[in-house]
């Protein structure tokens, strides 16, 4: 009931803005550079594309709100991490290796902004707002690794970077099984430089919650994203 009341209230508030707002549409194409906030790693370029619509609800005022639907890839290379081969001596050992993290998301964004008229043909835009990243693909794979076998005493004292978190104790421990990933909420802040109908955009997306289920190890981290793109308004 509470959700129904909130949805009805939101619809009531937004309907006048939709009816009287002046919409502007755009498409964009660019690249992302993602980073793991705790684990670090090397950022690699990923695809970033989207379609959006902005509404200017107040005539002769350049404040706006907008909606955007996008697709984004996050790619990060991490190296020299350790995890156990098994919890059953005498076959217990340490795997030293890395991962090529490659994730794909469908992004839904809502934002507020302001358009500053610099000259007759050049405008500068600032915007901020929340987004929801829904996972649609996971192509993460392991990179070169080696295994070191330890005595039971050494194994018990060893400090691993990752552990297996969802394997059946009676089954073999497989490190690269794809798991269901969770959706991530973010806050986005950015700017756009407009020249006539073309724009360049720079934005930073900061995650509120950790991404889980990338692999079957305890690789849980918040993934932030720097995006560069070019677009056309119409």
């Amino acid at each position: 009931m509470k959700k129904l009341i909130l949805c009805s209230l939101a619809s009531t508030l937004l309907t006048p803005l939709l009816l009287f707002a002046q919409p502007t549409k755009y498409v964009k194409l660019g690249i992302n550079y993602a980073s793991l906030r705790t684990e670090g790693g090397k950022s690699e370029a990923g695809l970033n594309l989207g379609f959006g619509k902005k509404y200017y609800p107040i005539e002769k005022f350049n404040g706006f709100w907008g909606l955007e639907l996008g697709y984004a890839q996050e790619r990060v290379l991490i190296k020299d991490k350790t995890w156990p081969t098994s919890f059953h001596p005498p076959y217990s050992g340490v795997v030293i290796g890395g991962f090529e993290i490659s994730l794909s998301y469908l992004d839904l964004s809502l934002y507020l902004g302001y358009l500053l008229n610099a000259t007759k043909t050049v405008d500068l835009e600032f915007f901020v707002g929340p987004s929801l990243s829904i996972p649609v693909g996971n192509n993460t794979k392991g990179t070169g690794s080696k295994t070191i076998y330890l005595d039971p005493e050494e194994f018990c004292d060893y400090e691993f970077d990752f552990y297996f978190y969802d394997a059946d104790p009676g089954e073999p421990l497989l490190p690269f099984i794809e798991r269901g990933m969770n959706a991530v909420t973010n806050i986005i802040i950015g700017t756009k430089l407009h020249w006539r109908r073309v724009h360049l955009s720079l934005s930073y997306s900061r995650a509120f919650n950790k991404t889980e289920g990338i692999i079957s190890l305890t690789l849980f981290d918040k993934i932030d994203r720097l995006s560069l793109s070019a677009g056309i308004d119409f």
Side-chain angles (χ1 to χ4, degrees):
M1 179 61 73
K2 290 183 179 179
K3 291 183 178 180
L4 180 60
I5 294 174
L6 290 175
C7 290
S8 301
L9 180 60
S11 300
T12 303
L13 293 174
L14 290 176
T15 298
L17 298 180
L18 289 171
L19 292 176
F20 302 107
Q22 301 176 9
T24 300
K25 301 176 184 178
Y26 64 88
V27 292
K28 68 174 186 178
L29 176 65
I31 56 176
N32 293 316
Y33 288 96
S35 60
L36 301 178
R37 197 177 302 175
T38 302
E39 298 296 339
K42 179 183 178 182
S43 300
E44 298 187 335
L47 179 65
N48 172 23
L49 56 89
F51 167 80
K53 201 169 186 179
K54 296 185 295 184
Y55 298 88
Y56 294 83
I58 303 176
E59 188 176 359
K60 296 182 180 180
F61 176 67
N62 288 341
F64 63 85
W65 69 277
L67 299 168
E68 182 177 296
L69 175 64
Y71 170 82
Q73 293 176 331
E74 295 180 339
R75 301 179 62 205
V76 183
L77 177 62
I78 58 175
K79 298 180 179 179
D80 301 324
K81 299 297 182 180
T82 60
W83 62 92
T85 57
S86 170
F87 291 111
H88 307 290
Y91 304 105
S92 300
V94 180
V95 180
I96 304 174
F99 307 96
E100 292 180 1
I101 299 175
S102 180
L103 312 175
S104 301
Y105 291 93
L106 181 67
D107 289 341
L108 303 174
S109 306
L110 171 66
Y111 53 89
L112 300 174
Y114 185 82
L115 186 68
L116 180 64
N117 301 122
T119 69
K120 291 183 178 180
T121 57
V122 177
D123 299 317
L124 188 60
E125 174 185 319
F126 302 94
F127 59 91
V128 63
S131 73
L132 176 65
S133 296
I134 303 171
V136 294
N138 183 351
N139 295 313
T140 299
K141 60 182 180 180
T143 59
S145 62
K146 62 179 180 180
T147 302
I148 301 174
Y149 290 98
L150 304 175
D151 293 332
E153 296 79 9
E154 295 176 311
F155 182 83
C156 293
D157 295 332
Y158 198 93
E159 294 185 5
F160 296 96
D161 293 310
F162 306 127
Y163 294 88
F164 294 94
Y165 74 95
D166 62 353
D168 187 335
E171 298 295 330
L173 299 176
L174 304 177
F176 306 124
I177 300 175
E178 181 178 336
R179 304 298 183 185
M181 291 169 52
N182 59 301
V184 178
T185 54
N186 316 274
I187 182 70
I188 299 176
I189 183 171
T191 184
K192 290 182 182 179
L193 178 64
H194 294 262
W195 180 73
R196 299 186 187 275
R197 296 176 60 187
V198 178
H199 71 257
L200 298 176
S201 177
L202 172 65
S203 64
Y204 175 70
S205 175
R206 187 172 179 84
F208 283 125
N209 59 299
K210 294 182 178 181
T211 299
E212 301 181 9
I214 301 174
I215 52 177
S216 58
L217 299 177
T218 53
L219 176 54
F220 306 150
D221 207 346
K222 295 179 180 179
I223 304 180
D224 303 319
R225 188 193 306 167
L226 180 68
S227 301
L228 305 170
S229 64
I232 299 176
D233 303 321
F234 59 93

